[in-house]
Amino acid sequence: MPNIVLFSGSSHQDLSQRVADRLGLELGKVVTKKFSNQETSVEIGESVRGEDVYIIQSGCGEINDNLMELLIMINACKIASSSRVTAVIPCFPYARQDKKDKSRAPISAKLVANMLSVAGADHIITMDLHASQIQGFFDIPVDNLYAEPAVLQWIRENITEWRNCIIVSPDAGGAKRVTSIADRLNVEFALIHKERKKANEVDRMVLVGDVKDRVAILVDDMADTCGTICHAADKLLSAGATKVYAILTHGIFSGPAISRINNAAFEAVVVTNTIPQEDKMKHCSKIQVIDISMILAEAIRRTHNGESVSYLFSHVPL
Amino acid sequence: MFCVAPPELETKMNITKGGLVLFSANSNSSCMELSKKIAERLGVEMGKVQVYQEPNRETRVQIQESVRGKDVFIIQTVSKDVNTTIMELLIMVYACKTSCAKSIIGVIPYFPYSKQCKMRKRGSIVSKLLASMMCKAGLTHLITMDLHQKEIQGFFNIPVDNLRASPFLLQYIQEEIPDYRNAVIVAKSPASAKRAQSFAERLRLGIAVIHGEAQDAESDLVDGRHSPPMVRSVAAIHPSLEIPMLIPKEKPPITVVGDVGGRIAIIVDDIIDDVDSFLAAAETLKERGAYKIFVMATHGLLSSDAPRLIEESAIDEVVVTNTIPHEIQKLQCPKIKTVDISMILSEAIRRIHNGESMSYLFRNIGLDD
């Protein structure tokens, strides 16, 4: 059986180190740097011939630089005769551009899938894809892991009144996700949808469901500028919710997100560490992090050993 | 030395150059109604083609006119024998490709296998497989309608125009349901809440979502979450991590989020196939005080016993488009009504053939539709 080699891209060194620690491995030696003309250069610092290579790189921050770095690392390992290259992409870049929602719009997530395949990836491990159908953009195996078990565990351990909570989707598209969590907690759900009363009138948010005297937990797969979840929080409080939490897998938090969260009435905004959050936590005390490194580590271990990964879909490794 | 066509042939060449040919790939005559309507609207004759089954059940396609250098549009409506339908299409596409057609555009109003569009317990993503097969056969463009998931467009390496039936269904609501302003748009499961919102927004109505025991069409049980780990004798990288059990997911009793009392309930979805979940939803809505129940869907597959079950149910009317032929079902159940969408398909064909923009056909379509 080939040995496992774990490399980290520069997007999320902390997560890579945590994964390596869980697996009892050292991170592989790799030097990534930029030339003066801003081109990315990658040098793999150890032999990968015949090895099972895993490259951890999240789609965040300088997203195009990180994507190119990942592609170059994959290709470097491929042409250095590794037996298999698996890209571990906790937050898949361009995942929201997954369909033609306007005329002449590109399906950029499909383009990224093609780029990864062309670079030489044999397998993808990712988490909470914006749409599961993105797996079908690839001709190689894709393991889409779920943060849901870790989220459920966090709710039970950190929200004392969780039995009196209601799970809320900030838009109609997330209804399926919230009902899955509500069912597992055996609580009710609600959703917020946009409604236009007259043509040319600004959208107003309508709450469908009863949140009065309950702890409301907003759940979504990602939060970017946080406009939607902050409006949703106001709506829930005005409808009688006692407290409002937001739980999101991917905390992108771009633009005015941090100031919006600081000004909003959240008890906490809980995200996983698929994207680094250290800087944002310094500026916003409401942000809390669920560590999902053990899920990624266990997926890597199982993939390497040829074990079933599907067990992780409903369980959290200790 | 250049080969110049004699003058008597020149006019003929100009006529056929870049011409449009419309074929129906169905061997089943009941599936050709939509093709005929489209041809009528475009003012063209259907192309001459024979599609039939050999005695050994193999499909045979014989194209009986030249397609060299032409835009070929192949209209394929899905019959009950879905796999034969697919083979008919693929064989015809390949026949046109090898006969030097300039472009081959598939017009597939209902894309088969579209529900199998994500990974489920080591299954296949069948709609991706089908997309790859169509591209490999030689399709250069696809026109379809209300894909089960819009992301299916990304399974193709060719342009896909996913037309919408919602304007036709909305028009039906406004014209055929007199007191529609007292209606509420209902999603029979959380998965269709987005579609319900899209309808509700344009009709300026409220929405309700049904959730609970009866909704099991796309259950998580089949996506591998309940699969046990493999027992391996080979040592792991380091000792296997103990994994505690979580409380298993339980479907709660049926609940309706949103108020339907004293209202008309309009259940919207993209496909109506097995009607069990629709019947359960209708019963629930009746119990909650809805006084009339309509079901609106783009694709009326209405499989097996569906017409009889609808006829005996609390549903007042089922409105579907003619993306799939259902004349027999209508004879069995007068509650089934049809909305004709041949107009938008023929306009899409005309625009693509003339190289015009398609965005006009999406002018009233929201992001959630």
PDB file of all heavy atoms in Angstrom, chain A residues 136, chain B residues 113 115-130 155:
ATOM      1  N   GLY A 136     -21.693  16.139  -9.837  1.00  0.00           N
ATOM      2  CA  GLY A 136     -21.885  15.674 -11.207  1.00  0.00           C
ATOM      3  C   GLY A 136     -21.111  16.475 -12.238  1.00  0.00           C
ATOM      4  O   GLY A 136     -21.082  16.104 -13.405  1.00  0.00           O
TER       5      GLY A 136
ATOM      6  N   TYR B 113     -34.528  10.921 -16.285  1.00  0.00           N
ATOM      7  CA  TYR B 113     -33.566  10.624 -15.213  1.00  0.00           C
ATOM      8  C   TYR B 113     -33.130  11.875 -14.443  1.00  0.00           C
ATOM      9  O   TYR B 113     -32.139  11.842 -13.724  1.00  0.00           O
ATOM     10  CB  TYR B 113     -32.324   9.907 -15.765  1.00  0.00           C
ATOM     11  CG  TYR B 113     -32.558   8.455 -16.119  1.00  0.00           C
ATOM     12  CD1 TYR B 113     -32.819   8.069 -17.424  1.00  0.00           C
ATOM     13  CD2 TYR B 113     -32.523   7.471 -15.144  1.00  0.00           C
ATOM     14  CE1 TYR B 113     -33.037   6.740 -17.756  1.00  0.00           C
ATOM     15  CE2 TYR B 113     -32.733   6.136 -15.458  1.00  0.00           C
ATOM     16  CZ  TYR B 113     -32.990   5.776 -16.766  1.00  0.00           C
ATOM     17  OH  TYR B 113     -33.201   4.461 -17.082  1.00  0.00           O
ATOM     18  N   LYS B 115     -34.262  13.285 -11.896  1.00  0.00           N
ATOM     19  CA  LYS B 115     -34.279  13.184 -10.427  1.00  0.00           C
ATOM     20  C   LYS B 115     -33.005  12.531  -9.896  1.00  0.00           C
ATOM     21  O   LYS B 115     -32.650  12.727  -8.742  1.00  0.00           O
ATOM     22  CB  LYS B 115     -35.509  12.398  -9.956  1.00  0.00           C
ATOM     23  CG  LYS B 115     -36.762  13.257  -9.900  1.00  0.00           C
ATOM     24  CD  LYS B 115     -37.869  12.585  -9.119  1.00  0.00           C
ATOM     25  CE  LYS B 115     -39.026  13.542  -8.892  1.00  0.00           C
ATOM     26  NZ  LYS B 115     -40.099  12.941  -8.105  1.00  0.00           N
ATOM     27  N   GLN B 116     -32.346  11.746 -10.747  1.00  0.00           N
ATOM     28  CA  GLN B 116     -31.104  11.100 -10.316  1.00  0.00           C
ATOM     29  C   GLN B 116     -29.933  12.008 -10.673  1.00  0.00           C
ATOM     30  O   GLN B 116     -29.141  11.717 -11.558  1.00  0.00           O
ATOM     31  CB  GLN B 116     -30.962   9.732 -10.980  1.00  0.00           C
ATOM     32  CG  GLN B 116     -32.043   8.752 -10.555  1.00  0.00           C
ATOM     33  CD  GLN B 116     -31.779   7.355 -11.059  1.00  0.00           C
ATOM     34  OE1 GLN B 116     -30.679   6.825 -10.916  1.00  0.00           O
ATOM     35  NE2 GLN B 116     -32.778   6.741 -11.657  1.00  0.00           N
ATOM     36  N   CYS B 117     -29.865  13.142  -9.956  1.00  0.00           N
ATOM     37  CA  CYS B 117     -28.872  14.154 -10.329  1.00  0.00           C
ATOM     38  C   CYS B 117     -27.859  14.405  -9.223  1.00  0.00           C
ATOM     39  O   CYS B 117     -27.096  15.354  -9.280  1.00  0.00           O
ATOM     40  CB  CYS B 117     -29.570  15.459 -10.704  1.00  0.00           C
ATOM     41  SG  CYS B 117     -30.545  16.150  -9.372  1.00  0.00           S
ATOM     42  N   LYS B 118     -27.887  13.560  -8.185  1.00  0.00           N
ATOM     43  CA  LYS B 118     -26.846  13.682  -7.168  1.00  0.00           C
ATOM     44  C   LYS B 118     -26.460  12.310  -6.652  1.00  0.00           C
ATOM     45  O   LYS B 118     -27.174  11.340  -6.850  1.00  0.00           O
ATOM     46  CB  LYS B 118     -27.256  14.607  -6.037  1.00  0.00           C
ATOM     47  CG  LYS B 118     -28.555  14.284  -5.347  1.00  0.00           C
ATOM     48  CD  LYS B 118     -28.763  15.215  -4.177  1.00  0.00           C
ATOM     49  CE  LYS B 118     -29.933  16.125  -4.388  1.00  0.00           C
ATOM     50  NZ  LYS B 118     -30.329  16.853  -3.207  1.00  0.00           N
ATOM     51  N   MET B 119     -25.311  12.277  -5.998  1.00  0.00           N
ATOM     52  CA  MET B 119     -24.759  10.998  -5.562  1.00  0.00           C
ATOM     53  C   MET B 119     -25.598  10.424  -4.435  1.00  0.00           C
ATOM     54  O   MET B 119     -25.876  11.103  -3.457  1.00  0.00           O
ATOM     55  CB  MET B 119     -23.327  11.231  -5.066  1.00  0.00           C
ATOM     56  CG  MET B 119     -22.512   9.992  -4.989  1.00  0.00           C
ATOM     57  SD  MET B 119     -22.289   9.299  -6.623  1.00  0.00           S
ATOM     58  CE  MET B 119     -21.267   7.929  -6.244  1.00  0.00           C
ATOM     59  N   ARG B 120     -26.016   9.178  -4.583  1.00  0.00           N
ATOM     60  CA  ARG B 120     -26.784   8.527  -3.526  1.00  0.00           C
ATOM     61  C   ARG B 120     -26.247   7.124  -3.296  1.00  0.00           C
ATOM     62  O   ARG B 120     -26.371   6.266  -4.154  1.00  0.00           O
ATOM     63  CB  ARG B 120     -28.257   8.442  -3.908  1.00  0.00           C
ATOM     64  CG  ARG B 120     -28.933   9.790  -3.921  1.00  0.00           C
ATOM     65  CD  ARG B 120     -30.436   9.619  -3.919  1.00  0.00           C
ATOM     66  NE  ARG B 120     -31.118  10.895  -3.955  1.00  0.00           N
ATOM     67  CZ  ARG B 120     -31.267  11.690  -2.917  1.00  0.00           C
ATOM     68  NH1 ARG B 120     -30.776  11.359  -1.756  1.00  0.00           N
ATOM     69  NH2 ARG B 120     -31.903  12.831  -3.030  1.00  0.00           N
ATOM     70  N   LYS B 121     -25.653   6.932  -2.151  1.00  0.00           N
ATOM     71  CA  LYS B 121     -25.181   5.610  -1.711  1.00  0.00           C
ATOM     72  C   LYS B 121     -24.510   4.816  -2.827  1.00  0.00           C
ATOM     73  O   LYS B 121     -25.002   3.784  -3.263  1.00  0.00           O
ATOM     74  CB  LYS B 121     -26.337   4.809  -1.122  1.00  0.00           C
ATOM     75  CG  LYS B 121     -25.851   3.692  -0.213  1.00  0.00           C
ATOM     76  CD  LYS B 121     -26.964   3.109   0.597  1.00  0.00           C
ATOM     77  CE  LYS B 121     -26.392   2.112   1.591  1.00  0.00           C
ATOM     78  NZ  LYS B 121     -27.429   1.567   2.451  1.00  0.00           N
ATOM     79  N   ARG B 122     -23.412   5.330  -3.296  1.00  0.00           N
ATOM     80  CA  ARG B 122     -22.603   4.653  -4.319  1.00  0.00           C
ATOM     81  C   ARG B 122     -23.375   4.380  -5.596  1.00  0.00           C
ATOM     82  O   ARG B 122     -23.071   3.454  -6.340  1.00  0.00           O
ATOM     83  CB  ARG B 122     -22.019   3.340  -3.780  1.00  0.00           C
ATOM     84  CG  ARG B 122     -21.192   3.539  -2.523  1.00  0.00           C
ATOM     85  CD  ARG B 122     -20.751   2.241  -1.899  1.00  0.00           C
ATOM     86  NE  ARG B 122     -20.402   2.481  -0.510  1.00  0.00           N
ATOM     87  CZ  ARG B 122     -21.264   2.391   0.487  1.00  0.00           C
ATOM     88  NH1 ARG B 122     -22.506   2.043   0.264  1.00  0.00           N
ATOM     89  NH2 ARG B 122     -20.874   2.641   1.707  1.00  0.00           N
ATOM     90  N   GLY B 123     -24.409   5.168  -5.832  1.00  0.00           N
ATOM     91  CA  GLY B 123     -25.158   5.030  -7.079  1.00  0.00           C
ATOM     92  C   GLY B 123     -24.443   5.794  -8.174  1.00  0.00           C
ATOM     93  O   GLY B 123     -23.310   6.224  -8.017  1.00  0.00           O
ATOM     94  N   SER B 124     -25.140   5.952  -9.272  1.00  0.00           N
ATOM     95  CA  SER B 124     -24.594   6.734 -10.376  1.00  0.00           C
ATOM     96  C   SER B 124     -25.352   8.049 -10.440  1.00  0.00           C
ATOM     97  O   SER B 124     -26.524   8.106 -10.075  1.00  0.00           O
ATOM     98  CB  SER B 124     -24.793   5.954 -11.676  1.00  0.00           C
ATOM     99  OG  SER B 124     -24.600   6.785 -12.789  1.00  0.00           O
ATOM    100  N   ILE B 125     -24.679   9.095 -10.893  1.00  0.00           N
ATOM    101  CA  ILE B 125     -25.384  10.349 -11.167  1.00  0.00           C
ATOM    102  C   ILE B 125     -25.886  10.203 -12.602  1.00  0.00           C
ATOM    103  O   ILE B 125     -25.219  10.580 -13.561  1.00  0.00           O
ATOM    104  CB  ILE B 125     -24.458  11.568 -10.987  1.00  0.00           C
ATOM    105  CG1 ILE B 125     -23.858  11.565  -9.575  1.00  0.00           C
ATOM    106  CG2 ILE B 125     -25.222  12.871 -11.235  1.00  0.00           C
ATOM    107  CD1 ILE B 125     -22.802  12.620  -9.339  1.00  0.00           C
ATOM    108  N   VAL B 126     -27.070   9.607 -12.737  1.00  0.00           N
ATOM    109  CA  VAL B 126     -27.520   9.140 -14.051  1.00  0.00           C
ATOM    110  C   VAL B 126     -27.726  10.295 -15.023  1.00  0.00           C
ATOM    111  O   VAL B 126     -27.420  10.172 -16.208  1.00  0.00           O
ATOM    112  CB  VAL B 126     -28.807   8.285 -13.932  1.00  0.00           C
ATOM    113  CG1 VAL B 126     -29.198   7.720 -15.285  1.00  0.00           C
ATOM    114  CG2 VAL B 126     -28.598   7.151 -12.941  1.00  0.00           C
ATOM    115  N   SER B 127     -28.217  11.439 -14.531  1.00  0.00           N
ATOM    116  CA  SER B 127     -28.433  12.550 -15.469  1.00  0.00           C
ATOM    117  C   SER B 127     -27.105  13.072 -16.015  1.00  0.00           C
ATOM    118  O   SER B 127     -27.044  13.549 -17.143  1.00  0.00           O
ATOM    119  CB  SER B 127     -29.263  13.668 -14.849  1.00  0.00           C
ATOM    120  OG  SER B 127     -28.809  14.002 -13.596  1.00  0.00           O
ATOM    121  N   LYS B 128     -26.035  12.940 -15.237  1.00  0.00           N
ATOM    122  CA  LYS B 128     -24.694  13.302 -15.734  1.00  0.00           C
ATOM    123  C   LYS B 128     -24.256  12.298 -16.807  1.00  0.00           C
ATOM    124  O   LYS B 128     -23.702  12.674 -17.848  1.00  0.00           O
ATOM    125  CB  LYS B 128     -23.713  13.308 -14.556  1.00  0.00           C
ATOM    126  CG  LYS B 128     -22.257  13.137 -14.901  1.00  0.00           C
ATOM    127  CD  LYS B 128     -21.643  14.388 -15.466  1.00  0.00           C
ATOM    128  CE  LYS B 128     -20.148  14.187 -15.654  1.00  0.00           C
ATOM    129  NZ  LYS B 128     -19.464  15.369 -16.104  1.00  0.00           N
ATOM    130  N   LEU B 129     -24.510  11.025 -16.550  1.00  0.00           N
ATOM    131  CA  LEU B 129     -24.178   9.976 -17.524  1.00  0.00           C
ATOM    132  C   LEU B 129     -24.915  10.223 -18.839  1.00  0.00           C
ATOM    133  O   LEU B 129     -24.335  10.153 -19.927  1.00  0.00           O
ATOM    134  CB  LEU B 129     -24.559   8.609 -16.945  1.00  0.00           C
ATOM    135  CG  LEU B 129     -24.446   7.398 -17.872  1.00  0.00           C
ATOM    136  CD1 LEU B 129     -22.999   7.144 -18.257  1.00  0.00           C
ATOM    137  CD2 LEU B 129     -25.040   6.163 -17.214  1.00  0.00           C
ATOM    138  N   LEU B 130     -26.186  10.556 -18.715  1.00  0.00           N
ATOM    139  CA  LEU B 130     -27.018  10.812 -19.893  1.00  0.00           C
ATOM    140  C   LEU B 130     -26.504  12.036 -20.663  1.00  0.00           C
ATOM    141  O   LEU B 130     -26.439  12.027 -21.897  1.00  0.00           O
ATOM    142  CB  LEU B 130     -28.457  11.039 -19.428  1.00  0.00           C
ATOM    143  CG  LEU B 130     -29.580  10.855 -20.427  1.00  0.00           C
ATOM    144  CD1 LEU B 130     -29.461   9.548 -21.167  1.00  0.00           C
ATOM    145  CD2 LEU B 130     -30.926  10.917 -19.711  1.00  0.00           C
ATOM    146  N   PHE B 155     -23.825  19.665 -16.253  1.00  0.00           N
ATOM    147  CA  PHE B 155     -23.384  18.310 -16.604  1.00  0.00           C
ATOM    148  C   PHE B 155     -23.018  18.228 -18.090  1.00  0.00           C
ATOM    149  O   PHE B 155     -22.406  17.264 -18.522  1.00  0.00           O
ATOM    150  CB  PHE B 155     -24.475  17.273 -16.311  1.00  0.00           C
ATOM    151  CG  PHE B 155     -24.833  17.113 -14.845  1.00  0.00           C
ATOM    152  CD1 PHE B 155     -25.878  16.287 -14.464  1.00  0.00           C
ATOM    153  CD2 PHE B 155     -24.132  17.778 -13.856  1.00  0.00           C
ATOM    154  CE1 PHE B 155     -26.218  16.126 -13.125  1.00  0.00           C
ATOM    155  CE2 PHE B 155     -24.466  17.634 -12.514  1.00  0.00           C
ATOM    156  CZ  PHE B 155     -25.509  16.805 -12.149  1.00  0.00           C
TER     157      PHE B 155
END
